[in-house]
Amino acid sequence: MGLGLAVALPPERAIWMLAFLPAWVLVAKLAGLYDADHRVMRHLTVDEAPVIFAWGVIGAVAASLLGGLTPAGSLSTGELALTAAIAIVADFILRVAARAAWRASTPRERALIVGEDSLAHAMRRKIVLFADLHMSAVEPGDYARGIDRVVLAHERIDAGEIAVISDLCHRQGAKLSLVSPLRGQATPHEISRLAELPVFEYLTSDVSRSTMMLKRVLDLIVGIPLAVLAAPLFPLIAVAIWLEDRGPILFAQQRAGFHGEPFRLLKFRTMHVGADSSLEDLLDELPEPMFKFRHDPRVTRVGRVLRRLSLDELPQIWNLLRGDMSLVGPRPEQLELVERYSPEHRFRLDVKPGLTGPMQVHGRGELTFEERLAVELDYVENLSMGRDLRILALTPVCVIRGTGAF
């Protein structure tokens, strides 16, 4: 915030305004920005973006109002906007850097996962998939180095047991988390409070038309500039593909779209020419209707690089602009695999497929079919613009890390 004032104002006015820095600190404290890392298991700055934005705007307005009581005077509209913008961007960057430094310099949190059923297994999988948790699961009996967090992951919850464990964790200085057994369609959309009673709120209505219209507007607002930015890469990628085996540049395939309607999906070709001839044999080997091989022998050398960086997906911008796909949604699946879906799997066809989606930011190819269905069901059941923006913000980081990209 001090940087924003120093850039937006002359030195003699900035000095007066810097006297009101405690007001910015107070707003941040009231907004919970200093307490988030102690309250939640996973600390992602992108989840704080709306609060950081509000903090920047409120802090700038407060500084302007207080400045009106001094010789510095109030901020003009331009100064107000510049101060808020610099404060928001600077705070976001500093938070990302501080958390990266903390993870690099601090030992992983030792977490004792209490439970032996599928819920406990799912929690252990999340520790493996999400490195940003900065956590390691404590093996039974390995308690000599202490326990930083206890994670209860039981299918059945006993209020009395939780109270006892909570008291024990408080006395030992350990954190306590409980993984809810309410998953899938049983997951509440929101938890509110009625006096001392926690109330689970569920969405039982369809996604509003206004949300779907805004989703389409976002597709075009982002898709058109994305097409312009990606255009210079197309000839370079095309030459690299052609030089390897002199085959076609693009690969087109029928995929299942909204409500299962087929559409022609475009990709840069990443496999050897004629790879489709062995598709039926590979499909017969699949234990689940999900097609992803870690070491697919049909993928070319150039194709592996393109897949690692997700550059093979760039031609799908055309599908996005046509309306076949959306920016965010479940990934479009092959028709042959969709035909193998059970009725409980078809929910993922209730929305348009996406260039990115919950699968891409929660492990990509590392996910099992069950895990993939779980994150996609959560997305479909709780679709919102806020969730789409969060997935879009996380996607570049996941592409750079390359987890599950093969």
Side-chain angles (χ1 to χ4, degrees):
M1 70 288 288
L3 176 63
L5 293 170
V7 172
L9 302 175
E12 61 274 12
R13 293 183 64 201
I15 291 174
W16 279 101
M17 288 295 183
L18 288 174
F20 304 126
L21 288 181
W24 293 77
V25 175
L26 177 61
V27 173
K29 178 64 177 177
L30 293 175
L33 288 175
Y34 292 136
D35 305 317
D37 287 5
H38 302 289
R39 292 177 178 172
V40 296
M41 181 185 294
R42 195 181 188 194
H43 319 131
L44 294 180
T45 307
V46 68
D47 291 331
E48 298 172 335
V51 180
I52 293 173
F53 179 84
W55 164 81
V57 172
I58 294 172
V61 170
S64 179
L65 293 175
L66 293 172
L69 305 176
T70 71
S74 300
L75 300 176
S76 67
T77 303
E79 292 170 339
L80 187 70
L82 183 58
T83 299
I86 294 175
I88 291 167
V89 172
D91 187 69
F92 194 91
I93 293 174
L94 288 173
R95 283 177 170 269
V96 170
R99 285 183 171 131
W102 174 79
R103 292 186 182 107
S105 60
T106 306
R108 290 179 175 273
E109 187 176 73
R110 290 169 52 79
L112 175 63
I113 300 174
V114 181
E116 295 296 336
D117 48 29
S118 61
L119 197 60
H121 173 73
M123 182 61 219
R124 290 186 177 91
R125 281 282 295 161
K126 297 300 182 288
I127 291 177
V128 173
L129 291 171
F130 302 141
D132 53 72
L133 281 174
H134 199 60
M135 185 182 295
S136 61
V138 176
E139 297 299 327
D142 182 22
Y143 309 133
R145 289 180 291 162
I147 295 171
D148 302 308
R149 182 187 296 270
V150 175
V151 181
L152 303 181
H154 277 297
E155 294 291 349
R156 293 186 178 183
I157 299 174
D158 184 282
E161 289 181 0
I162 294 174
V164 172
I165 296 173
S166 177
D167 181 65
L168 180 61
C169 288
H170 177 73
R171 286 189 279 113
Q172 296 297 324
K175 300 173 185 176
L176 175 63
S177 300
L178 185 146
V179 181
S180 173
L182 300 178
R183 291 178 289 171
Q185 291 179 302
T187 303
H189 176 72
E190 185 179 346
I191 301 178
S192 62
R193 298 193 73 87
L194 183 61
E196 82 285 2
L197 300 177
V199 180
F200 289 180
E201 307 285 0
Y202 289 84
L203 285 179
T204 55
S205 58
D206 293 332
V207 179
S208 66
R209 291 185 178 181
S210 61
T211 297
M212 299 309 295
M213 289 177 60
L214 286 173
K215 191 172 169 66
R216 180 57 183 158
V217 169
L218 180 65
D219 290 344
L220 296 175
I221 290 176
V222 177
I224 293 173
L226 187 61
V228 174
L229 292 173
L233 296 175
F234 278 63
L236 300 177
I237 296 173
V239 169
I241 294 173
W242 185 82
L243 286 176
E244 182 164 16
D245 60 8
R246 305 297 195 271
I249 306 302
L250 294 177
F251 172 75
Q253 189 178 55
Q254 291 291 105
R255 296 287 180 101
F258 185 46
H259 288 161
E261 289 295 321
F263 73 96
R264 189 168 179 263
L265 177 136
L266 298 175
K267 297 180 66 174
F268 281 121
R269 183 175 59 85
T270 59
M271 294 187 178
H272 295 291
V273 177
D276 277 354
S277 61
S278 59
L279 180 61
E280 289 298 328
D281 294 336
L282 290 172
L283 289 177
D284 291 338
E285 297 175 10
L286 296 177
E288 300 171 321
M290 181 179 73
F291 189 72
K292 201 72 173 177
F293 291 100
R294 183 177 296 274
H295 302 292
D296 194 328
R298 303 174 301 161
V299 179
T300 65
R301 288 177 299 174
V302 171
R304 294 193 189 283
V305 176
L306 295 179
R307 289 187 172 201
R308 168 63 179 78
L309 300 174
S310 296
L311 295 176
D312 60 318
E313 314 285 357
L314 289 179
Q316 290 167 37
I317 298 174
W318 172 246
N319 295 115
L320 171 71
L321 298 178
R322 276 176 44 90
D324 299 324
M325 297 175 64
S326 182
L327 277 171
V328 182
R331 286 296 296 159
E333 200 58 90
Q334 295 171 224
L335 296 177
E336 297 88 348
L337 293 179
V338 171
E339 291 173 357
R340 299 177 59 181
Y341 279 4
S342 301
E344 63 270 20
H345 300 157
R346 300 189 68 84
F347 70 86
R348 63 189 313 275
L349 304 176
D350 292 342
V351 296
K352 284 184 180 180
L355 288 180
T356 185
M359 175 186 171
Q360 279 64 40
V361 299
H362 289 129
R364 300 173 77 176
E366 298 290 348
L367 299 182
T368 64
F369 184 61
E370 181 181 354
E371 290 170 335
R372 174 180 173 181
L373 286 178
V375 297
E376 290 182 339
L377 177 60
D378 180 62
Y379 171 79
V380 172
E381 291 286 330
N382 300 283
L383 193 151
S384 69
M385 291 302 298
R387 181 164 291 203
D388 276 15
L389 292 173
R390 181 180 185 273
I391 290 175
L392 287 174
L394 289 173
T395 297
V397 178
C398 295
V399 170
I400 293 171
R401 286 178 177 169
T403 302
F406 46 79

